[in-house]
Amino acid sequence: MLEWLPLSLPRGRLAESPLWDHRTHTLYWVDILGGALHLFSFETGQLKTYRLDDYVSCVALTQDVDTVIVTLKNQIAELNTRSGAHRVVARVEEPGRNRLNDCKCSPAGELWFGSMDMYEREPTGSLYVYTGSTLERVMSAVTISNGIDWSPDGSLMYYVDSPTRKVGIYKWEGGRLEPSGYIDLSRMPGVPDGLTVDAEGSLWVAMYGGSSVVKITGADIQRLPLPYPYVTSCAFGGPRLDTLFITTGSGDGGAGADGGLLAVKTGARGRAANICNF
């Protein structure tokens, strides 16, 4: 049985990229279309919001607890969480109709991120890896680059190109990818968006337009219904890493839309987020 937790935090147009920093007990998330990065300290109860004059699609941790990486429309930036000042560290050559989207630090400390067609029709996007000094395209012909995460032992990477309605499975070694199958979610309502992998290796996948998160353990797929249709991503956090934070979008703003954060106890535990080595 799910246990819902009270969580009164700002709503946005397209909340995404929930991220728990286990070092500071801080929850991060972004509002992509609102151009905002939010951070909420569970120790002090303080909420901070930094607005950038750009899309803000994803957030990732660095070695410095006062600095995070954010992806913008076609740039990677470092943002100081004390001052809100940010500086661009890399620019990504993308078609004008594209923007960057989901990201995550790898077990090796690299930033993996993708891009998408903002009209959500053409496979003009890519998947990239950034080491802090080099930027490499590792996959092309992507339409909407979304959820990324790794198995607990780091041997597999999971990756979503949303319109395929599949979670790709890749053998992962030293940053090299080798396709190793996929999980077909085409019979589930909605399309796969962001995802996370828990401590036991189960996948938790947000289903955009499907009012749910699905839990995948081997061949078993369980659907967790949610009160809002546009579920965008999820991540485990909290002091015991046993709270699933779920972001949502407001869609067209009609009845049943949200754009905020949910928090639920599922009985599962997550893992500490990977930290980028820069």
Side-chain angles (χ1 to χ4, degrees), residues 107 112 126-127 138-162 164 166-183 195 197 203:
W112 286 70
S126 299
L127 177 67
V138 295
M139 190 183 302
S140 56
V142 173
T143 303
I144 305 176
S145 185
N146 254 315
I148 308 169
D149 208 354
W150 287 262
S151 60
D153 66 1
S155 65
L156 298 175
M157 189 183 94
Y158 302 98
Y159 173 64
V160 168
D161 180 3
S162 290
T164 68
K166 298 173 182 176
V167 179
I169 306 171
Y170 299 85
K171 293 181 181 178
W172 188 82
E173 183 178 354
R176 292 187 295 273
L177 299 181
E178 180 183 338
S180 185
Y182 58 84
I183 301 165
L195 63 81
V197 178
L203 278 71

Side-chain angles (χ1 to χ4, degrees), residues 5-276:
L5 304 179
L7 196 64
S8 180
L9 292 170
R11 293 178 60 216
R13 294 173 61 191
L14 186 58
E16 257 280 13
S17 189
L19 174 68
W20 177 260
D21 189 339
H22 57 282
R23 303 166 299 180
T24 61
H25 289 186
T26 300
L27 177 67
Y28 294 89
W29 73 104
V30 304
D31 177 8
I32 297 177
L33 300 182
L37 170 70
H38 301 291
L39 50 155
F40 179 75
S41 169
F42 276 62
E43 292 184 346
T44 67
Q46 183 181 21
L47 170 72
K48 292 183 180 179
T49 296
Y50 295 117
R51 298 196 179 275
L52 292 83
D53 187 22
D54 204 339
Y55 296 99
V56 185
S57 60
C58 192
V59 57
L61 303 179
T62 72
Q63 297 292 327
D64 180 354
V65 295
D66 294 325
T67 301
V68 294
I69 293 288
V70 290
T71 51
L72 308 176
K73 182 179 187 293
N74 61 354
Q75 299 172 335
I76 302 169
E78 292 181 348
L79 184 143
N80 183 285
T81 58
R82 290 186 179 273
S83 67
H86 72 280
R87 68 182 186 94
V88 173
V89 295
R91 299 179 187 275
V92 187
E93 296 298 326
E94 284 281 311
R97 63 185 285 155
N98 283 13
R99 66 166 174 82
L100 303 186
N101 203 36
D102 212 350
C103 73
K104 202 157 285 182
C105 297
S106 76
E110 310 147 329
L111 181 73
W112 286 70
F113 67 95
S115 60
M116 62 174 281
D117 171 21
M118 289 189 287
Y119 297 95
E120 302 183 357
R121 293 194 294 265
E122 301 297 329
T124 54
S126 299
L127 177 67
Y128 297 91
V129 59
Y130 176 65
T131 66
S133 58
T134 62
L135 177 65
E136 178 186 357
R137 179 187 281 112
V138 295
M139 190 183 302
S140 56
V142 173
T143 303
I144 305 176
S145 185
N146 254 315
I148 308 169
D149 208 354
W150 287 262
S151 60
D153 66 1
S155 65
L156 298 175
M157 189 183 94
Y158 302 98
Y159 173 64
V160 168
D161 180 3
S162 290
T164 68
R165 302 186 73 181
K166 298 173 182 176
V167 179
I169 306 171
Y170 299 85
K171 293 181 181 178
W172 188 82
E173 183 178 354
R176 292 187 295 273
L177 299 181
E178 180 183 338
S180 185
Y182 58 84
I183 301 165
D184 189 348
L185 295 177
S186 60
R187 294 187 179 183
M188 305 296 294
V191 297
D193 199 321
L195 63 81
T196 191
V197 178
D198 70 21
E200 301 299 319
S202 294
L203 278 71
W204 300 74
V205 185
M207 298 299 289
Y208 188 87
S211 303
S212 62
V213 168
V214 296
K215 178 185 179 184
I216 304 167
T217 306
D220 180 57
I221 301 177
Q222 300 178 40
R223 182 174 182 268
L224 284 67
L226 298 171
Y228 305 110
Y230 305 110
V231 185
T232 57
S233 193
C234 55
F236 284 95
R240 294 173 57 84
L241 294 174
D242 60 353
T243 301
L244 187 66
F245 294 106
I246 303 166
T247 50
T248 67
S250 61
D252 59 8
D258 191 51
L261 265 162
L262 307 173
V264 61
K265 298 276 191 176
T266 66
R269 285 191 180 183
R271 302 167 295 149
N274 293 326
I275 298 171
C276 286

